[in-house]
Amino acid sequence: MIPKGNTLHFINRLDDTNCGDRVVCPLLHYYDYFKQYQIKRHDMRYVDFDSISPTDVVIIGGGGMFDYAEFTNRIINRVLHTGAAVIAWSPGFNTHTEYNITFDTKIEFDRFALITVRDYNNDYGIAYLPDVTCKLPQLRKKYEIRRKYGIARHKDYPIPGLNFDTITNRADLNEIIQFIGESEIVISNSFHMIYWSMLMGKKTICANPFSNKFYSYKYKPQYFEETDDFSDCVNSAPVYDMLDECIVENDAFFEKVKRIVESRLEPDAIAPNTYELVTQAALAEEKFRDTQLLPGDLLVSQLFIDTGDGWSEKSKLVAINNVFGDEWHKVRFDISAFKSIQKIRFDPIESRYCEVEIRSAKSADGQIPLAAEVSMRVDSQDRFLTTDPQYIITSPCKDFIEIEFRLRILTLFEAEQNIKYYSHYMSSEIINRDEQIRQCGAERDNAFAERDNAFAERDNAFAERDNAFAERDNAFAERDNAFAERDRLLQSKSWKITAPLRAVFSFFKRLLKGTK
């Protein structure tokens, strides 16, 4: 356990999968001096504020830490309010174009004991200092050119439209520097790989920039859009001789830092300091927090837009929220650029079991309904039964979507209990449904039997009717035959010859009747 007080703290993003973040801390580059003090490192997302004493010194940087999100600005301000002497060693502004966020919290720059940023001619008038990784000795190595073009891209952001040899910033530092050194022209969308390429005197092209940080270099690369002529960009790309200048500026700033450190801290000869030890300790704390997701940690929400091609990473918007235990979170997404929207999916968080309560959801036309997927409703909360919580929006939306919600991370035990309860509930529902189906089936069969009997009675009635019709038809046929026989008799010769005799006979017959 590191005793509180008399400690030199370093705060930057500790991402072991990002080479720039691995080497951007000033502790690495001036370790021979700093190692005499008691040292503690912090990941910028999980600062151990309780360990920072008012008598301590805190060095923030480097990396894109300013205006990255609301939570980073709050963290920085909270560090500034510890009472420690806080130094900003060339951190940078870093607002991603994909993040739909509004910064309600402004960084209190006047509280820094000493401040520089890596952004040249920034809007705040803060002193410029090149990124400290110019101190990497590998940048002075010379390499034989093995390729004309090399793509050195960010691990999370591809560079579409170009097909050359590629490396990402996930790779080892020496591999990256060698790749840059062996490339005649470097195409990149990684802040540090662009910076290192220019420091090594390479023609450097910035393609697919995803943050405002790519426009803050003092010595700028050539920028390339997919609609640009690539050959023209290559021909226009400048080459700089800037390495020595950047190192001199950092060494001069280091002298200012030393004066502040020595005025507040005493060397600690028995401090168990090695760069690897303090770094691994910070990484271990970060991994613990990542697995626990304690209250107040980073919350990344996403909105996916389906315009007819389904859900896609290309059609999503991202919002960052939640720090220091905010109870309610509000995210706002600008959807005005999307046409022919068919449906929308809101993911409040990724890879966590959670319970979410939606307070409101609206678009430009008013309130919109959200339908929770794979969840169970308890009061006003949706308890998701998967680590991929999703809400579906099918109603028309216009211009923007703003959602205010409360989120609670569920423990594994709670998630298992919810799943068991839901499974039991669904089993009961299935049993009830099967019983209802059985009862409905019996009723249906009885109804079918009654219907069939009615049909049989109807058929019998039809048969009797048909028999009556047949008897009538037979009577009509016999009558017609009798009429035909009579007609034949009346037309016969014998009937005509005997007509006078029948007339005489009829006369006497009438006469006899009259005498009676």
Side-chain angles (χ1 to χ4, degrees):
M1 179 70 68
I2 296 176
K4 187 170 182 178
N6 196 44
T7 301
L8 177 59
H9 303 264
F10 290 86
I11 301 175
N12 70 290
R13 175 71 178 99
L14 291 175
D15 183 356
D16 208 32
T17 68
N18 184 321
C19 185
D21 288 335
R22 288 198 297 266
V23 298
V24 76
C25 182
L27 174 62
L28 172 66
H29 306 287
Y30 295 92
Y31 180 70
D32 284 344
Y33 170 79
F34 289 131
K35 66 182 180 182
Q36 64 182 307
Y37 296 99
Q38 182 69 56
I39 296 170
K40 182 174 176 59
R41 292 195 68 180
H42 308 253
D43 183 279
M44 65 175 291
R45 298 178 302 165
Y46 309 133
V47 174
D48 181 5
F49 297 101
D50 291 337
S51 70
I52 302 175
S53 169
T55 59
D56 291 344
V57 176
V58 179
I59 296 177
I60 293 179
M65 301 174 65
F66 291 168
D67 286 355
Y68 173 73
E70 171 72 8
F71 87 99
T72 55
N73 287 5
R74 289 199 202 176
I75 286 174
I76 292 165
N77 282 351
R78 189 170 175 184
V79 172
L80 291 168
H81 281 266
T82 60
V86 184
I87 300 168
W89 193 318
S90 64
F93 294 92
N94 182 22
T95 303
H96 288 212
T97 54
E98 66 174 334
Y99 291 171
N100 285 254
I101 48 180
T102 301
F103 298 110
D104 294 325
T105 298
K106 303 299 182 183
I107 298 173
E108 300 174 32
F109 294 115
D110 57 341
R111 283 184 170 270
F112 281 94
L114 183 63
I115 181 171
T116 59
V117 291
R118 69 187 187 185
D119 304 84
Y120 191 68
N121 287 339
N122 57 85
D123 293 339
Y124 296 90
I126 300 171
Y128 164 76
L129 179 67
D131 185 272
V132 73
T133 56
C134 63
K135 294 284 291 184
L136 290 168
Q138 293 93 329
L139 296 172
R140 293 195 179 277
K141 292 186 67 174
K142 301 299 181 183
Y143 297 88
E144 179 183 350
I145 300 298
R146 299 185 180 275
R147 66 185 68 83
K148 185 174 181 63
Y149 301 107
I151 295 178
R153 71 171 183 84
H154 194 286
K155 60 186 176 68
D156 298 326
Y157 297 92
I159 297 179
L162 298 175
N163 186 23
F164 304 116
D165 289 349
T166 301
I167 196 168
T168 75
N169 59 346
R170 187 184 291 272
D172 175 76
L173 173 67
N174 292 322
E175 294 177 12
I176 291 173
I177 297 299
Q178 181 176 345
F179 181 89
I180 292 173
E182 293 176 349
S183 303
E184 180 180 341
I185 300 162
V186 176
I187 304 131
S188 180
N189 63 348
S190 158
F191 179 92
H192 283 105
M193 291 198 283
I194 290 173
Y195 182 53
W196 298 337
S197 177
M198 293 190 295
L199 288 172
M200 295 177 74
K202 301 289 182 178
K203 280 195 167 191
T204 308
I205 297 174
C206 175
N208 189 27
F210 53 85
S211 165
N212 62 349
K213 66 184 177 182
F214 293 103
Y215 302 98
S216 66
Y217 298 101
K218 178 180 180 181
Y219 298 98
K220 298 187 182 300
Q222 178 65 38
Y223 296 96
F224 171 71
E225 301 289 342
E226 287 189 78
T227 56
D228 293 338
D229 183 282
F230 184 69
S231 297
D232 289 345
C233 287
V234 170
N235 293 333
S236 301
V239 173
Y240 299 111
D241 181 11
M242 52 187 275
L243 178 60
D244 289 337
E245 175 187 326
C246 294
I247 293 174
V248 167
E249 291 185 55
N250 270 275
D251 286 346
F253 185 73
F254 168 62
E255 295 300 323
K256 297 179 181 179
V257 172
K258 282 173 59 177
R259 288 194 286 272
I260 293 177
V261 171
E262 292 171 2
S263 69
R264 298 175 68 92
L265 303 180
E266 294 293 332
D268 189 345
I270 62 171
N273 285 337
T274 67
Y275 178 79
E276 188 67 17
L277 177 63
V278 295
T279 300
Q280 290 304 318
L283 286 171
E285 290 184 16
E286 175 198 11
K287 290 177 180 178
F288 172 76
R289 292 295 296 265
D290 278 340
T291 57
Q292 298 300 310
L293 198 67
L294 301 179
D297 288 346
L298 173 67
L299 171 62
V300 178
S301 301
Q302 301 178 96
L303 196 77
F304 289 84
I305 314 294
D306 180 4
T307 57
D309 299 323
W311 310 124
S312 169
E313 292 292 317
K314 295 180 180 179
S315 299
K316 79 170 183 179
L317 303 171
V318 180
I320 297 182
N321 216 317
N322 186 31
V323 70
F324 303 137
D326 287 349
E327 181 180 6
W328 291 95
H329 317 294
K330 182 183 291 185
V331 291
R332 185 181 176 95
F333 302 94
D334 181 358
I335 61 172
S336 59
F338 295 93
K339 308 300 180 185
S340 303
I341 298 175
Q342 297 188 6
K343 57 183 177 178
I344 297 171
R345 192 184 95 202
F346 172 59
D347 295 3
I349 194 173
E350 276 196 284
S351 304
R352 299 291 174 184
Y353 291 108
C354 63
E355 177 183 275
V356 179
E357 178 180 357
I358 302 294
R359 173 184 277 180
S360 68
K362 62 183 179 181
S363 185
D365 293 330
Q367 295 293 318
I368 53 176
L370 273 63
E373 299 282 287
V374 196
S375 66
M376 53 188 290
R377 187 79 170 179
V378 179
D379 297 327
S380 60
Q381 291 86 34
D382 298 303
R383 292 182 183 174
F384 287 93
L385 308 175
T386 170
T387 56
D388 187 18
Q390 300 176 4
Y391 286 94
I392 303 299
I393 306 170
T394 55
S395 61
C397 298
K398 180 182 177 183
D399 295 341
F400 69 89
I401 290 178
E402 183 178 279
I403 302 171
E404 188 173 4
F405 63 101
R406 177 164 53 194
L407 183 145
R408 184 173 71 87
I409 301 300
L410 300 179
T411 65
L412 182 58
F413 174 77
E414 289 177 303
E416 290 175 346
Q417 292 300 108
N418 287 337
I419 293 171
K420 287 179 181 179
Y421 175 81
Y422 183 77
S423 299
H424 175 73
Y425 169 78
M426 289 305 297
S427 297
S428 300
E429 288 293 302
I430 291 171
I431 292 172
N432 292 336
R433 184 200 62 189
D434 291 344
E435 178 61 22
Q436 291 174 0
I437 291 173
R438 187 189 66 78
Q439 292 177 358
C440 290
E443 293 174 0
R444 179 201 60 191
D445 293 342
N446 291 334
F448 285 167
E450 292 177 0
R451 183 202 63 183
D452 292 342
N453 290 334
F455 286 166
E457 293 176 0
R458 182 201 64 182
D459 293 341
N460 289 334
F462 285 165
E464 292 176 0
R465 183 202 62 184
D466 292 341
N467 289 335
F469 286 164
E471 292 176 359
R472 183 201 63 182
D473 292 341
N474 289 335
F476 286 164
E478 291 176 0
R479 184 200 63 182
D480 292 341
N481 289 336
F483 286 164
E485 286 293 326
R486 184 198 65 183
D487 291 342
R488 283 194 297 272
L489 177 63
L490 292 175
Q491 296 298 323
S492 65
K493 290 182 179 180
S494 60
W495 182 267
K496 292 178 179 179
I497 293 173
T498 60
L501 182 60
R502 290 196 305 275
V504 172
F505 176 77
S506 296
F507 171 78
F508 283 106
K509 187 177 181 180
R510 290 194 299 274
L511 182 63
L512 289 172
K513 286 182 177 179
T515 58
K516 288 181 179 181

